[in-house]
Amino acid sequence: MKNIRIGLYSAGLRAYWSQFQGLHDRLVTYNQFIEKKLAEIGEVSNFGLLDDISQVDDAIRFFSKEQPDVIFLHSATYFTSDSVLPLHLAVKVPVIVLNLQPSPRIDYARTDTGEWLAQCCACPVPEISNAFERAGIRFRFVSGLLGLSETPEGAMSDEKTDEHPAAQRAWREIREWAQAAGIRAALSRSVFGFLGGNYSGMLDMYSDFTMLSSQAGIRVKIIEMCDLNSFLDQVSDRDMKEKRNEIESMFEIADDSPSDTRVHRPTDEQLDWSARVASAQEKMVNAYGLDGLAYYYHSVDGNPYEELQSGFIVGHSLLTAKGIPCAGEADLKTALAMKIGDLAGVGGSFAEIVVSDYCDGTILIGHDGPFHIRISDRKPILRGMGVYHGKKGSGISVEAKVKSGPITTLNVTQTRDGRLKLIISEAEATDGPIMTIGNTQTPVRFKYDPDTYMEKWFAEAPTHHCALTVGHNAGLFRKVGDLLDIPTVVL
């Protein structure tokens, strides 16, 4: 994701500089290397070397002004915890302590005290962890190798470790912590629309807006169908034609389904109507500054809003592709899961269990709703639906499959104590067959057989929807849960 604001400083002990020639400058070199690496991830504010309690007020002013989403505390050598604790009591953003040793092994025969002090970054970490614990500050750590591409001048050991597994693992963890902090910050600025109401009887869908705001940081705006209808009145013929051109460039228009007589090639009238509604949806999202949307509307026969909701799916797929995830059946918790995936750059498509394939050992996952077009294996298909199963009306729906390869499902559920919970599963999307009925569907092979996986998942009391993302993202999603203080389970 873009615009992650990263704070950085290195901690040391001022008493060392006059005792060990070159140590200060060497640690500054390490600090600058970390800054350069972090700049590949986000916008870095680097205080430099904090080596005495007399500097702490300057550091507080610096980070208070810069307002980072996360601060990386680089343990460069031994330091006293009193020089850093006041900073984190004052600047309340997540702190990640970096315990990154420059060399995988010191040259025991040649190493003097100054050289050892350049390598003893782990020494003060227990001290700071104890101080943070007693002060009520949550803390996280990344340990490993620094990952330099060459050994600095004056070093007595080999410090070229950029290809070492311990360095690569550490920097993968650092990137994920930075991403997770950026997602946490973005959620705190996000506005989710709630249009209409939940599908009646789906008890797992019902959400407490205050709970979601207090735990995930999002803001919720309740929107009525008449609000959307007012934007429909503003759609011109030109707007409709531009939106139809966008639809036809992004989707393939399918012929009649070979398997379901109620699924036909979309008519021009249906395409025009979907384009008109999609234009209204976009106008509404822009006017209200929405970053996500949960929606559902159940009308009585003859209600004009029935026709309006019949055009929802195409426009909501377009919005989802533009970073405004739209979840059907007014599932706000899954809209949150989809937003987390989208902020991470890994998609986030609305999905549920469709059917199991015991021959291939896969579970088909999808829905009759919006699809995240950016993670499709090919151009998604539009089909004209004679009926939206279990819902009022008819219209156009999206048929698509997530690209083959690693995927991760993210489910946001709620427990009896009112707490949110994340349930994460890594798996593989296969290129198996799907139905031609106008629904999104992806065959997914989990690390367990279908029955074992489903029983493990059901035991966690999930909602029946989840967000489908590309890549193996359990490490990242777990860190998002950690920074949000939301319990997380990885199956």
Side-chain angles (χ1 to χ4, degrees), residues 7 53 112 356 462:
I53 194 171
D112 59 17
S356 295

Side-chain angles (χ1 to χ4, degrees), residues 419-440:
R419 298 292 299 170
L420 297 176
K421 182 171 81 168
L422 306 185
I423 306 172
I424 303 162
S425 302
E426 291 185 338
E428 301 291 322
T430 76
D431 194 27
I434 64 173
M435 296 175 282
T436 57
I437 59 172
N439 287 5
T440 69

Side-chain angles (χ1 to χ4, degrees), residues 359-428:
C359 296
D360 285 350
T362 58
I363 301 174
L364 209 61
I365 297 179
H367 209 279
D368 64 338
F371 180 75
H372 202 303
I373 298 161
R374 286 186 294 164
I375 61 174
S376 177
D377 70 336
R378 58 182 64 90
K379 207 170 185 179
I381 294 170
L382 294 184
R383 293 193 187 275
M385 308 291 287
V387 62
Y388 289 138
H389 66 268
K391 302 178 176 71
K392 296 285 291 185
S394 62
I396 297 178
S397 189
V398 177
E399 183 177 295
K401 181 166 59 174
V402 171
K403 63 186 69 173
S404 299
I407 61 99
T408 305
T409 62
L410 176 62
N411 178 268
V412 179
T413 189
Q414 178 185 356
T415 56
R416 74 174 72 180
D417 57 1
R419 298 292 299 170
L420 297 176
K421 182 171 81 168
L422 306 185
I423 306 172
I424 303 162
S425 302
E426 291 185 338
E428 301 291 322

Side-chain angles (χ1 to χ4, degrees), residues 116-418:
W116 160 61
L117 289 173
Q119 305 287 337
C120 77
C121 49
C123 179
V125 176
E127 178 179 335
I128 191 61
S129 66
N130 180 268
F132 281 169
E133 165 62 25
R134 291 160 67 188
I137 297 172
R138 292 200 64 194
F139 51 92
R140 293 89 175 171
F141 301 97
V142 176
S143 295
L145 289 172
L146 186 58
L148 295 173
S149 58
E150 59 182 20
T151 299
E153 184 178 352
M156 296 180 181
S157 304
D158 181 10
E159 296 186 4
K160 183 184 182 309
T161 58
D162 53 336
E163 297 181 357
H164 196 289
Q168 294 177 346
R169 182 198 55 76
W171 278 101
R172 183 172 62 251
E173 290 286 304
I174 292 168
R175 282 191 295 272
E176 288 181 351
W177 279 119
Q179 279 186 290
I183 290 169
R184 173 181 178 268
L187 289 176
S188 72
R189 300 186 293 268
S190 294
V191 180
F192 282 65
F194 187 85
L195 173 61
N198 291 110
Y199 191 111
S200 181
M202 289 184 178
L203 302 182
D204 59 333
M205 296 296 96
Y206 302 167
S207 295
D208 180 334
F209 299 162
T210 305
M211 173 197 71
L212 284 162
S213 294
S214 63
Q215 295 180 43
I218 65 172
R219 309 161 199 178
V220 181
K221 180 177 180 61
I222 297 175
I223 302 170
E224 302 294 347
M225 287 292 285
C226 55
D227 293 313
L228 177 58
N229 194 61
S230 69
F231 290 100
L232 185 68
D233 292 339
Q234 300 173 26
V235 177
S236 66
D237 289 343
R238 180 178 178 180
D239 292 334
M240 183 272 288
K241 290 176 183 177
E242 289 178 353
K243 188 60 65 174
R244 176 155 176 179
N245 288 337
E246 181 183 347
I247 290 170
E248 291 180 348
S249 69
M250 192 168 288
F251 296 96
E252 176 185 337
I253 310 302
D255 290 325
D256 294 353
S257 168
S259 62
D260 193 329
T261 58
R262 290 164 294 190
V263 179
H264 301 281
R265 179 181 177 85
T267 65
D268 278 339
E269 291 77 12
Q270 287 177 319
L271 289 167
D272 283 348
W273 181 244
S274 288
R276 191 171 292 278
V277 173
S279 182
Q281 291 165 327
E282 187 168 61
K283 289 178 184 294
M284 182 187 73
V285 162
N286 292 337
Y288 294 156
L290 301 183
D291 302 287
L293 179 69
Y295 69 92
Y296 179 70
Y297 182 73
H298 182 88
S299 67
V300 297
D301 292 341
N303 188 317
Y305 294 158
E306 180 179 339
E307 183 182 14
L308 179 55
Q309 65 88 27
S310 72
F312 274 3
I313 291 176
V314 176
H316 285 152
S317 290
L318 294 176
L319 288 171
T320 299
K322 295 175 181 177
I324 315 294
C326 300
E329 295 164 3
D331 186 353
L332 193 54
K333 293 189 288 294
T334 298
L336 170 61
M338 294 165 68
K339 186 65 178 180
I340 291 171
D342 189 82
L343 288 169
V346 294
S349 204
F350 191 57
E352 66 185 7
I353 290 176
V354 176
V355 69
S356 295
D357 186 328
Y358 285 87
C359 296
D360 285 350
T362 58
I363 301 174
L364 209 61
I365 297 179
H367 209 279
D368 64 338
F371 180 75
H372 202 303
I373 298 161
R374 286 186 294 164
I375 61 174
S376 177
D377 70 336
R378 58 182 64 90
K379 207 170 185 179
I381 294 170
L382 294 184
R383 293 193 187 275
M385 308 291 287
V387 62
Y388 289 138
H389 66 268
K391 302 178 176 71
K392 296 285 291 185
S394 62
I396 297 178
S397 189
V398 177
E399 183 177 295
K401 181 166 59 174
V402 171
K403 63 186 69 173
S404 299
I407 61 99
T408 305
T409 62
L410 176 62
N411 178 268
V412 179
T413 189
Q414 178 185 356
T415 56
R416 74 174 72 180
D417 57 1

